[in-house]
Amino acid sequence: MDESTEQLNRVFAALADPTRRALVARLAGADATVGELAQPHNMSLQAISKHVKVLEEAGLVRRSKDAQRRPVHLDAEVFDLMTKWIERYRQEAEQRYRRLDALLDRMADDDSPRTDLEDAS
């Protein structure tokens, strides 16, 4: 497996958890410390920290050091990789649906009753 495929696997695995998705949604608004991320959840700081570590290993977030704070920052670059992957398959599915629509249109035209004017021409 190439590196981008492995990273996508880690990203999708990390985002499979609803708590981690909630953390990503929170970080989309602004950076936050682990304590700030833990506030709306009924979890310990240690549990939230483990979730942040999974997101960090997937490349979705990174921690920085700002004096005494250690804010967690959402890394939007990984979302570009995910978007490209999703878009590729969306386009393939869309092409299949267009081919199916065209086939169904041809079948409908073949099955439609002819009028006397069409028969005369």
Side-chain angles (χ1 to χ4, degrees):
M1 243 186 283
D2 68 355
E3 188 175 324
S4 66
T5 300
E6 288 180 19
Q7 184 172 20
L8 275 172
N9 289 343
R10 287 191 306 269
V11 167
F12 284 122
L15 293 175
D17 183 272
T19 300
R20 290 193 285 268
R21 286 194 306 272
L23 296 177
V24 168
R26 164 63 175 81
L27 291 169
D31 293 357
T33 64
V34 171
E36 292 166 341
L37 291 172
Q39 285 174 354
H41 300 280
N42 190 18
M43 290 185 192
S44 67
L45 287 177
Q46 184 179 14
I48 293 294
S49 190
K50 286 181 181 182
H51 282 294
V52 169
K53 185 170 176 61
V54 171
L55 293 171
E56 198 171 12
E57 289 170 352
L60 287 162
V61 301
R62 56 188 160 82
R63 296 182 206 203
S64 59
K65 203 166 197 169
D66 179 18
Q68 295 298 322
R69 293 186 62 206
R70 290 192 38 97
V72 180
H73 173 77
L74 188 63
D75 192 350
E77 192 173 304
V78 174
F79 290 100
D80 290 338
L81 178 65
M82 292 171 56
T83 301
K84 287 177 187 171
W85 183 86
I86 291 168
E87 182 61 21
R88 183 179 81 195
Y89 290 105
R90 188 197 61 76
Q91 287 177 359
E92 287 179 16
E94 193 172 288
Q95 289 172 358
R96 279 196 322 268
Y97 287 126
R98 276 196 224 115
R99 288 192 303 267
L100 179 60
D101 284 344
L103 175 64
L104 293 173
D105 287 344
R106 284 194 305 271
M107 290 173 66
D109 288 345
D110 290 346
D111 289 344
S112 65
R114 295 178 160 248
T115 65
D116 290 333
L117 291 175
E118 288 176 322
D119 291 335
S121 42

